[in-house]
Amino acid sequence: MFVLNTWYIAAWAEDVTDKPFPRRICNEAIVFFRDKQTGKIAALADMCCHRGAPLSLGTVVEEGIECGYHGVVHDCSGKCVHIPGQDRIPEKAKVRAYPVVEKNEFIWIWMGDPALADESLIVDYPYNDDHKNWPHKHGFYHIKSGYMLMVDNLMDLTHLGYVHKTTIGGNPMTHVKAEMDVTRDEKSLKYVRWMINSVPPPTYTKAVDFGGSNVDRWQEFAFSAPSNILQWSGAVKTGTGAREHGNRDGGFSLRIFHGLTPETENTCFYFFTPANGYKQDDPQATELLFDHIAEAFMEDKIFCEGQQARIDERGESHLVDIVSDATRVQLRRIIKRMFDEEQKQPVPVSASTRHEIPITVAK
Amino acid sequence: MFVLNTWYIAAWAEDVTDKPFPRRICNEAIVFFRDKQTGKIAALADMCCHRGAPLSLGTVVEEGIECGYHGVVHDCSGKCVHIPGQDRIPEKAKVRAYPVVEKNEFIWIWMGDPALADESLIVDYPYNDDHKNWPHKHGFYHIKSGYMLMVDNLMDLTHLGYVHKTTIGGNPMTHVKAEMDVTRDEKSLKYVRWMINSVPPPTYTKAVDFGGSNVDRWQEFAFSAPSNILQWSGAVKTGTGAREHGNRDGGFSLRIFHGLTPETENTCFYFFTPANGYKQDDPQATELLFDHIAEAFMEDKIFCEGQQARIDERGESHLVDIVSDATRVQLRRIIKRMFDEEQKQPVPVSASTRHEIPITVAK
Amino acid sequence: MFVLNTWYIAAWAEDVTDKPFPRRICNEAIVFFRDKQTGKIAALADMCCHRGAPLSLGTVVEEGIECGYHGVVHDCSGKCVHIPGQDRIPEKAKVRAYPVVEKNEFIWIWMGDPALADESLIVDYPYNDDHKNWPHKHGFYHIKSGYMLMVDNLMDLTHLGYVHKTTIGGNPMTHVKAEMDVTRDEKSLKYVRWMINSVPPPTYTKAVDFGGSNVDRWQEFAFSAPSNILQWSGAVKTGTGAREHGNRDGGFSLRIFHGLTPETENTCFYFFTPANGYKQDDPQATELLFDHIAEAFMEDKIFCEGQQARIDERGESHLVDIVSDATRVQLRRIIKRMFDEEQKQPVPVSASTRHEIPITVAK
């Protein structure tokens, strides 16, 4: 059960070169590569139309990608354009191509009906392109849980004081008592949390010097269904008017793009990119921030994987919602609605029927 | 297919501290810990009632165990007693608690209907508490076969001369020709075997000096259904009246508690505790005995795992019983009867329905 | 789906000694050993008729093989001939025996109806016995693909220029343009390919000195259904009449027996034996040839395993045949016909019913 008519992050732009790059998304094996002539990204079903060998074992050539087994070539639209030893190319000789877009250092892929693949629906994240003000480093984890458990995780920050006590969390009660403001529309949901006059967590105090003072701390999380979250967090000395007057300089500040992409029903990829918004001229600070965040997210990974193992066995219908689940419950409803609407389409798009859909050029 | 209304060994007492200890028993994930206040053992379903995270990733606190994800606390009866950020605890907020008893260095657990969990049914094994006369060491193996194949193994000692020729077995024909006396009742079965005037096996002669003499050797195995076996074995110089006059001192003597506990249908835990009954003041003798026994039981493990792999594939209906299977066949009948009776209960207890049974405090 | 009434290679003759040798063939666990008295090979179901332990954990004794668990002995015909502690041997006490033949350094096994096991059907390969003219070395790979994908591989040599460009292949177009002559009958298929006046591939030029000249290169592949292929390949200086006058001396020449044996539906064993037909007195040349071939076949393994993974997921019905598939399509038809005919037998032989077939002595 995946939402398919949406853009998922498939890879970091730097991952895809003129060597074939394989990755499974929504349970489909896909090969990515850059067109030798245009440098544009192509994404094809990773199975040669001839004998089914993975195209990712092949070679990128002028006309597209050459299967490493018997030399059949497919172009970036998935059409077979060369068969060694014969001139006629059978009509059936093609593989599915997926719409892909390179934007903000991400490769985005559309897994559903190509006719609906509207680039303007892609989340805008200019900070990834602004290395001067938001120096950052790319992170990537393979998570052995469904992507929704990771989304849950990110949209209920009361876990910070428990899972990340010693890094980005700090005192649990600070999080439980945070003032929280939620806004939402059909496909998104945003919360802003303030922890006024609170003790800064370890990661913050290691990053900047608050002179022992308490801080006014904020967390802005914007969820874009089904699986991307834009985070802006930070803290300045308490009483300096961060909340009332919007002055958030001179303290700690970070941005993170959290992208979750289903690999299979029970596994996903986690793309994250912590950006240093407080010591932009200090590359070591960027590294240190990354290390702290990567360590914290490893803790999340452990919990989501443990949770998945239990849910695989017993389901989740017997679980009990609590007050802090409010946002989580809402975002699940948003995803459910997207999925249900997709199923109502005249030809529902599903992983099992997908390769029979007429192929549209993915550029 | 497990007998559930019975006591299984869950762990060595020393395994369970104030750190959560996870173990799967009868295919249920369970977390064990010691109550901070009383030191008593608690055993809860290892899945938080809130979002399903394993409680074993959490922390033991004054009131019970705190989930490491969002801080929900369950007490030792499985009842949720604290939810961060809210006062009301929903009625449904609880997890199954299992009756547990600490006795004779074991933690015993009752996997069935808690109302029937009668402590007096637990096998008594005072030798584990008698370190002076029965110094011993705890052994533990994870076996990739069902527990019944291990019980079979222990209750047909004709395997000793083949599997353990070079350790505790010795000459095969000695075992085949042993005089055997079997008694039984509804839930137990005991045999006493004598090998009068026989050559002692390697482990025995390494342990004590028989001066080259033959021995009168005994093996007493008391099976307590479905999965525990108390062994007393030994040998004294032949002709000194061990059998007729009951004088079994001055030779070799060991006791072993064999506890088998189902993990899944096809895997189990093997708890064993070889006790040195011949050189009680010599710790090195106890170590040496343990090493010999642990090596021998590793041989059993290999056979039972091989057997399980074949049976998984082809079943066992085509196998052929032989004379030495007599005891094995009887004990299988005893276990079958226990299981069948359990199924006749008004509400049969099964792993899949178990978490809906009303929770009884497990103390 | 296996063809069962046929001879498969089970092992190299040298693999089977007086220690039990286990191997799974057509999804049946089998133990091989040499009769202590005659030195002949026996092959029995690897599951003791008593308690199901793998016989391969036992010991070869005078009368046959002794189970390592409780000492039951089966002879080379699968009949139980000794049960410790009892004289009567139950009629049912036996395991399936498989016809086996040792020939040309191979152990051949017949997995179907023993009554049909005609030794004269075994492919003759005298080169394995001719160490003077065809010095060689045995190779063995475990392949995680069905055996048919490996047969496909060997019978469509257009892959050589892609998969083995840098070893035994050379220029792709040389292969695509090769002149090919195919002959076939009911159970076999042979092609002879000539690449007249072509550039020799890297492996050839490393082996012999063509003085920079082009070569006349041949590949003769004789497929014997369902899974064995005899190869003779080589090259001599172009224009020396190799094709017209049959003079193929003074250049490069190798023979390889390719034997594929199903382990399971999706895995197989690959037996190969590259023989040096050009520098017979130089053991280092034989070693070097083996290394080149083994490296090349590892490349095939990677492709067939990748192909199998994709086909497991999506099937192969949507794949597209091209001109170079002609031979492959024919050989698939031959195998299909063998399989279909086998199913028409009064008692179809299948892996699941096989152990109920009356046992015939396998010698």
Side-chain angles (χ1 to χ4, degrees):
Chain A
M1 178 188 142
F2 305 115
V3 173
L4 295 173
N5 284 329
T6 193
W7 293 99
Y8 289 109
I9 299 175
W12 295 111
E14 70 219 26
D15 293 336
V16 182
T17 65
D18 62 354
K19 302 263 176 277
F21 179 85
R23 178 155 288 160
R24 178 173 297 269
I25 296 176
C26 295
N27 222 4
E28 304 202 12
I30 300 173
V31 60
F32 298 85
F33 61 95
R34 276 185 198 276
D35 185 319
K36 280 224 170 182
Q37 295 166 37
T38 64
K40 282 197 183 171
I41 307 280
L44 304 182
D46 190 14
M47 184 177 187
C48 181
C49 74
H50 169 219
R51 291 298 304 140
L55 291 174
S56 52
L57 295 176
T59 309
V60 178
V61 293
E62 284 301 308
E63 305 87 342
I65 187 164
E66 179 186 271
C67 181
Y69 202 174
H70 303 95
V72 167
V73 178
H74 295 85
D75 71 11
C76 297
S77 77
K79 205 171 136 15
C80 175
V81 292
H82 178 63
I83 298 177
Q86 77 187 65
D87 292 331
R88 204 184 66 81
I89 309 284
E91 178 65 23
K92 248 186 86 182
K94 56 190 171 188
V95 298
R96 179 161 164 79
Y98 300 82
V100 276
V101 172
E102 181 172 352
K103 187 181 163 188
N104 304 142
E105 303 188 337
F106 297 114
I107 309 292
W108 295 89
I109 190 166
W110 182 271
M111 297 298 295
D113 181 352
L116 305 177
D118 177 357
E119 283 194 29
S120 72
L121 298 173
I122 297 176
V123 181
D124 202 36
Y125 196 67
Y127 310 104
N128 262 1
D129 298 328
D130 180 1
H131 291 253
K132 191 172 175 309
N133 293 306
W134 296 100
H136 58 274
K137 205 178 148 177
H138 295 157
F140 175 80
Y141 284 155
H142 181 253
I143 312 273
K144 290 192 282 294
S145 87
Y147 79 96
M148 292 232 277
L149 295 184
M150 282 296 296
V151 173
D152 287 352
N153 170 286
L154 287 160
M155 294 302 279
D156 177 2
L157 293 194
T158 63
H159 80 273
L160 260 72
Y162 298 95
V163 179
H164 310 303
K165 207 174 293 186
T166 60
T167 52
I168 55 175
N171 186 282
M173 280 307 113
T174 299
H175 292 278
V176 170
K177 291 181 188 154
E179 297 167 55
M180 185 143 162
D181 202 37
V182 183
T183 52
R184 68 171 192 263
D185 63 23
E186 215 182 321
K187 290 204 177 169
S188 71
L189 191 150
K190 181 177 178 176
Y191 62 73
V192 181
R193 282 158 55 98
W194 280 97
M195 288 158 274
I196 301 295
N197 195 9
S198 65
V199 177
T203 294
Y204 287 27
T205 52
K206 276 174 199 160
V208 302
D209 181 11
F210 295 107
S213 164
N214 270 6
V215 296
D216 293 347
R217 179 180 173 189
W218 71 91
Q219 294 166 322
E220 298 195 9
F221 277 63
F223 167 68
S224 171
S227 68
N228 297 296
I229 292 157
L230 286 68
Q231 172 184 354
W232 181 29
S233 297
V236 294
K237 276 192 193 177
T238 191
T240 55
R243 187 178 195 176
E244 301 80 8
H245 312 304
N247 174 22
R248 304 197 195 171
D249 295 335
F252 178 81
S253 166
L254 66 78
R255 286 188 186 274
I256 307 180
F257 191 105
H258 308 264
L260 280 316
T261 301
E263 182 193 36
T264 66
E265 289 287 347
N266 290 340
T267 59
C268 68
F269 303 113
Y270 186 9
F271 298 86
F272 57 95
T273 169
N276 161 9
Y278 53 98
K279 288 184 183 170
Q280 289 91 337
D281 299 329
D282 179 357
Q284 230 177 330
T286 306
E287 285 291 331
L288 196 72
L289 175 67
F290 181 84
D291 292 348
H292 269 257
I293 296 294
E295 185 192 329
F297 291 2
M298 187 53 76
E299 294 165 337
D300 292 315
K301 173 175 154 74
I302 290 166
F303 272 91
C304 289
E305 294 183 349
Q307 210 184 350
Q308 183 70 55
R310 293 291 177 267
I311 289 174
D312 281 349
E313 206 167 344
R314 291 199 149 190
E316 44 183 314
S317 62
H318 65 294
L319 299 180
V320 177
D321 287 335
I322 64 177
V323 171
S324 64
D325 286 302
T327 317
R328 194 186 61 73
V329 169
Q330 287 176 23
L331 73 87
R332 288 267 181 145
R333 272 192 212 124
I334 293 173
I335 297 174
K336 179 76 166 51
R337 201 164 47 227
M338 285 178 85
F339 180 79
D340 289 346
E341 267 163 35
E342 208 165 287
Q343 299 306 307
K344 281 185 229 146
Q345 289 187 308
V347 183
V349 176
S350 77
S352 57
T353 59
R354 207 99 49 81
H355 56 282
E356 282 148 23
I357 288 174
I359 290 164
T360 304
V361 180
K363 278 197 276 198
Chain B
M1 175 186 142
F2 305 116
V3 174
L4 295 173
N5 284 329
T6 193
W7 293 99
Y8 289 109
I9 298 175
W12 295 112
E14 69 218 27
D15 293 337
V16 181
T17 64
D18 62 354
K19 301 266 176 274
F21 180 84
R23 179 155 287 161
R24 177 173 297 269
I25 296 176
C26 295
N27 223 4
E28 304 204 10
I30 300 173
V31 58
F32 298 83
F33 60 95
R34 277 186 198 275
D35 185 319
K36 280 224 169 181
Q37 293 165 38
T38 63
K40 283 198 181 169
I41 306 280
L44 305 182
D46 190 15
M47 185 178 186
C48 180
C49 74
H50 169 220
R51 291 298 303 140
L55 292 174
S56 53
L57 294 177
T59 308
V60 177
V61 295
E62 285 301 308
E63 305 87 341
I65 187 164
E66 179 186 272
C67 180
Y69 202 174
H70 302 95
V72 167
V73 178
H74 295 84
D75 70 11
C76 297
S77 77
K79 204 171 137 10
C80 175
V81 292
H82 177 65
I83 298 177
Q86 77 186 66
D87 291 331
R88 204 184 66 84
I89 309 284
E91 178 64 21
K92 248 186 85 182
K94 57 191 172 188
V95 298
R96 177 159 167 82
Y98 299 83
V100 276
V101 172
E102 181 171 354
K103 185 180 164 189
N104 302 142
E105 302 189 339
F106 296 115
I107 309 293
W108 295 88
I109 189 167
W110 181 270
M111 297 299 294
D113 181 352
L116 306 176
D118 177 356
E119 284 195 31
S120 72
L121 297 173
I122 297 176
V123 181
D124 202 36
Y125 196 67
Y127 310 104
N128 263 359
D129 298 328
D130 180 1
H131 291 252
K132 191 171 176 310
N133 292 307
W134 295 100
H136 58 274
K137 206 178 147 178
H138 295 156
F140 175 80
Y141 284 156
H142 180 254
I143 312 273
K144 289 192 283 295
S145 88
Y147 78 96
M148 292 232 278
L149 295 184
M150 283 296 296
V151 173
D152 287 352
N153 170 286
L154 287 159
M155 295 302 279
D156 177 3
L157 293 195
T158 64
H159 80 274
L160 259 73
Y162 299 96
V163 179
H164 309 304
K165 207 175 292 187
T166 61
T167 52
I168 56 176
N171 187 280
M173 279 307 113
T174 301
H175 291 279
V176 170
K177 292 182 190 154
E179 298 167 54
M180 185 143 161
D181 203 37
V182 183
T183 51
R184 66 171 193 264
D185 64 22
E186 213 182 324
K187 291 205 175 168
S188 71
L189 191 150
K190 183 177 178 174
Y191 62 73
V192 180
R193 280 157 56 97
W194 280 97
M195 288 157 277
I196 300 294
N197 195 11
S198 66
V199 176
T203 294
Y204 287 29
T205 53
K206 276 174 199 159
V208 302
D209 181 8
F210 295 106
S213 163
N214 269 4
V215 295
D216 293 347
R217 180 178 172 191
W218 71 90
Q219 294 167 322
E220 298 196 9
F221 276 64
F223 167 67
S224 171
S227 68
N228 297 297
I229 293 158
L230 286 69
Q231 172 184 355
W232 181 29
S233 297
V236 293
K237 277 190 191 178
T238 191
T240 56
R243 188 177 194 175
E244 302 79 8
H245 311 303
N247 173 21
R248 304 199 196 168
D249 294 336
F252 178 81
S253 167
L254 66 78
R255 285 188 185 274
I256 306 180
F257 191 106
H258 308 265
L260 280 316
T261 300
E263 182 193 36
T264 66
E265 289 287 347
N266 291 340
T267 59
C268 68
F269 303 113
Y270 185 10
F271 298 86
F272 56 94
T273 170
N276 162 9
Y278 52 99
K279 289 186 182 167
Q280 290 90 336
D281 298 329
D282 179 355
Q284 231 175 330
T286 306
E287 284 291 331
L288 196 71
L289 175 67
F290 180 85
D291 292 348
H292 270 256
I293 296 293
E295 186 192 329
F297 291 2
M298 186 53 76
E299 294 165 337
D300 292 315
K301 174 176 155 76
I302 290 166
F303 272 91
C304 288
E305 294 183 349
Q307 209 185 349
Q308 183 70 55
R310 293 292 177 264
I311 289 174
D312 281 348
E313 207 166 343
R314 290 199 148 189
E316 44 183 314
S317 61
H318 64 294
L319 299 179
V320 177
D321 288 336
I322 63 177
V323 171
S324 63
D325 286 302
T327 317
R328 195 186 61 72
V329 169
Q330 287 175 23
L331 74 86
R332 287 267 183 145
R333 273 193 210 123
I334 292 174
I335 296 174
K336 179 76 166 54
R337 198 164 50 228
M338 283 178 87
F339 180 79
D340 289 346
E341 267 162 35
E342 209 166 287
Q343 298 307 306
K344 281 185 227 146
Q345 288 188 309
V347 183
V349 176
S350 79
S352 57
T353 60
R354 207 97 52 80
H355 56 282
E356 282 147 22
I357 288 176
I359 291 164
T360 305
V361 180
K363 279 197 278 195
Chain C
M1 177 186 143
F2 305 115
V3 174
L4 295 173
N5 284 330
T6 194
W7 293 99
Y8 289 108
I9 299 175
W12 295 112
E14 70 217 27
D15 293 337
V16 181
T17 64
D18 62 353
K19 301 266 176 276
F21 179 84
R23 180 156 286 162
R24 177 173 297 268
I25 296 178
C26 295
N27 222 4
E28 304 202 13
I30 300 172
V31 59
F32 298 84
F33 60 95
R34 276 186 197 276
D35 185 319
K36 281 224 168 183
Q37 294 165 38
T38 64
K40 283 199 182 168
I41 306 280
L44 304 182
D46 190 14
M47 184 177 185
C48 181
C49 75
H50 169 219
R51 290 299 302 141
L55 291 174
S56 52
L57 294 176
T59 308
V60 177
V61 294
E62 284 301 309
E63 304 86 343
I65 187 164
E66 179 186 271
C67 181
Y69 203 174
H70 303 93
V72 167
V73 178
H74 295 84
D75 70 12
C76 297
S77 76
K79 203 169 135 21
C80 176
V81 291
H82 177 64
I83 297 178
Q86 77 188 64
D87 292 331
R88 203 185 67 83
I89 310 283
E91 178 64 23
K92 246 186 87 181
K94 57 190 171 188
V95 298
R96 178 161 166 79
Y98 299 83
V100 275
V101 172
E102 182 171 353
K103 185 181 166 191
N104 304 142
E105 303 190 337
F106 296 114
I107 309 292
W108 295 89
I109 189 166
W110 182 271
M111 297 299 295
D113 181 352
L116 307 176
D118 177 356
E119 283 195 32
S120 72
L121 297 173
I122 297 175
V123 181
D124 202 37
Y125 196 67
Y127 311 102
N128 262 0
D129 298 327
D130 180 359
H131 291 253
K132 190 172 175 310
N133 293 306
W134 295 100
H136 57 273
K137 205 178 148 179
H138 296 155
F140 176 80
Y141 284 156
H142 180 253
I143 312 273
K144 291 192 282 294
S145 87
Y147 79 97
M148 293 232 277
L149 294 184
M150 282 297 295
V151 172
D152 287 352
N153 170 286
L154 287 159
M155 295 301 278
D156 177 3
L157 293 194
T158 63
H159 80 274
L160 258 72
Y162 299 95
V163 179
H164 310 304
K165 207 175 294 186
T166 60
T167 53
I168 56 176
N171 186 281
M173 279 307 112
T174 299
H175 292 278
V176 170
K177 292 181 191 155
E179 296 167 55
M180 185 144 163
D181 202 36
V182 183
T183 51
R184 67 169 193 264
D185 64 22
E186 213 181 322
K187 290 204 176 167
S188 71
L189 191 149
K190 182 178 178 174
Y191 62 73
V192 180
R193 281 156 57 94
W194 280 97
M195 287 156 276
I196 300 294
N197 195 11
S198 65
V199 176
T203 295
Y204 288 28
T205 53
K206 277 176 198 157
V208 302
D209 181 9
F210 295 106
S213 165
N214 269 5
V215 296
D216 293 346
R217 178 178 173 191
W218 72 90
Q219 294 166 323
E220 298 195 8
F221 276 64
F223 167 69
S224 172
S227 68
N228 297 297
I229 292 158
L230 287 67
Q231 172 183 356
W232 180 31
S233 298
V236 295
K237 276 193 194 176
T238 191
T240 56
R243 188 179 195 173
E244 300 79 9
H245 312 302
N247 173 21
R248 305 199 196 170
D249 295 336
F252 177 81
S253 167
L254 66 77
R255 286 189 186 272
I256 306 181
F257 192 105
H258 307 265
L260 281 316
T261 301
E263 182 192 37
T264 67
E265 289 287 347
N266 291 341
T267 59
C268 67
F269 303 112
Y270 186 10
F271 298 86
F272 55 95
T273 170
N276 161 9
Y278 52 100
K279 289 186 181 166
Q280 289 91 337
D281 299 330
D282 178 356
Q284 230 176 330
T286 306
E287 284 291 331
L288 196 71
L289 175 68
F290 180 84
D291 292 348
H292 269 257
I293 296 294
E295 187 192 329
F297 291 2
M298 186 52 76
E299 294 165 337
D300 292 315
K301 173 175 154 77
I302 289 166
F303 272 91
C304 289
E305 293 183 348
Q307 209 185 350
Q308 183 71 55
R310 293 291 177 267
I311 289 173
D312 281 349
E313 207 167 342
R314 290 197 150 192
E316 43 184 313
S317 61
H318 65 294
L319 299 180
V320 177
D321 288 336
I322 63 179
V323 171
S324 64
D325 286 302
T327 317
R328 193 185 63 71
V329 169
Q330 287 176 23
L331 73 86
R332 287 268 182 146
R333 272 192 211 124
I334 292 174
I335 297 174
K336 178 77 167 51
R337 199 165 49 227
M338 285 179 84
F339 180 80
D340 289 347
E341 267 162 35
E342 207 166 289
Q343 299 306 306
K344 282 185 226 143
Q345 289 188 307
V347 183
V349 177
S350 76
S352 57
T353 59
R354 206 101 48 83
H355 55 281
E356 281 147 25
I357 289 176
I359 290 165
T360 305
V361 179
K363 278 196 280 199

